[in-house]
Amino acid sequence: GGLHAVSDILARLPADLPAVVTIVMHRSPTFDSPLAHLLARKTALPVMEPVEGDPIVAGHIYVAPRDVHLLVEADRWQLVRGPKLHWTRPAVDPLFVSAADRFGRRCVGILLSGGGTDGVAGLIAIKVRGGLSIAQDPVEAQDPSMPIHAIHEDDPDAIMKTEEIAAAMSALAAGESFPTSAAEAAAGA
């Protein structure tokens, strides 16, 4: 269910987005799909599957390769064929946790349509380190399981539709503030 949501967000991102966007989709470990190529048709930003040690470059979209977890190691990509998490490899939790460790409050985790609980622990790690967590509105999600788990277990900073997520990504990358639940509550007090 995540392909539609990811495609919708990518189509709305500006060609000069000054941020790193990383996509982890649960996919077959044996079928070599042209996922990066398909997603590249939706955006003006360069889309690629990184290889071990590639530098992390702003203004690029990276797609986790099949059958490995994608991790942030300093300012480079690390590919790890460790144990499956949540019955899948790649899983989003390893990426979120490693990105939170490296980028702290500059990290934004977004959990979209999909089945299971993958991403919840990673969103919690991002919030612990001062970053933001966003869940796709379950009403809009083709498979609402992952966003629902995030909402119930993480208390994300925002629950948004894909068009709102794309706008938030652009605003945050431009250095604009993002109204978190805590900020909204303080403003209303």
Side-chain angles (χ1 to χ4, degrees):
L3 184 58
H4 177 72
V6 168
S7 296
D8 188 47
I9 291 168
L10 294 183
R12 298 170 188 273
L13 295 178
D16 61 348
L17 185 77
V20 175
V21 176
T22 309
I23 298 166
V24 175
M25 294 189 71
H26 299 161
R27 52 199 284 205
S28 169
T30 57
F31 177 67
D32 192 13
S33 71
L35 182 58
H37 178 71
L38 293 172
L39 294 175
R41 294 180 186 175
K42 303 294 182 182
T43 181
L45 294 161
V47 179
M48 65 199 65
E49 286 188 3
V51 297
E52 178 71 28
D54 272 356
I56 299 170
V57 180
H60 288 71
I61 298 172
Y62 297 96
V63 179
R66 65 183 172 90
D67 206 29
V68 293
H69 297 300
L70 182 61
L71 306 173
V72 173
E73 178 65 35
D75 290 326
R76 299 197 170 275
W77 293 115
Q78 181 180 25
L79 307 178
V80 177
R81 195 169 188 283
K84 291 182 178 182
L85 296 173
H86 311 286
W87 299 279
T88 189
R89 187 178 44 232
V92 73
D93 274 333
L95 171 68
F96 279 176
V97 171
S98 66
D101 286 344
R102 171 62 182 95
F103 297 109
R105 63 180 191 80
R106 296 182 355 210
C107 185
V108 179
I110 302 168
L111 202 55
L112 302 173
S113 177
T117 61
D118 187 21
V120 173
L123 286 180
I124 291 168
I126 289 169
K127 285 184 68 170
V128 163
R129 288 160 185 84
L132 295 172
S133 69
I134 300 171
Q136 181 183 11
D137 187 334
V139 172
E140 176 190 69
Q142 287 182 333
D143 184 345
S145 179
M146 286 172 60
I148 286 173
H149 281 288
I151 292 165
H152 291 283
E153 298 175 42
D154 175 46
D155 186 29
D157 295 298
I159 301 165
M160 304 173 139
K161 296 188 180 319
T162 55
E163 67 184 53
E164 297 168 317
I165 292 170
M169 290 171 66
S170 296
L172 288 166
E176 298 173 16
S177 63
F178 181 78
T180 64
S181 300
E184 290 170 346

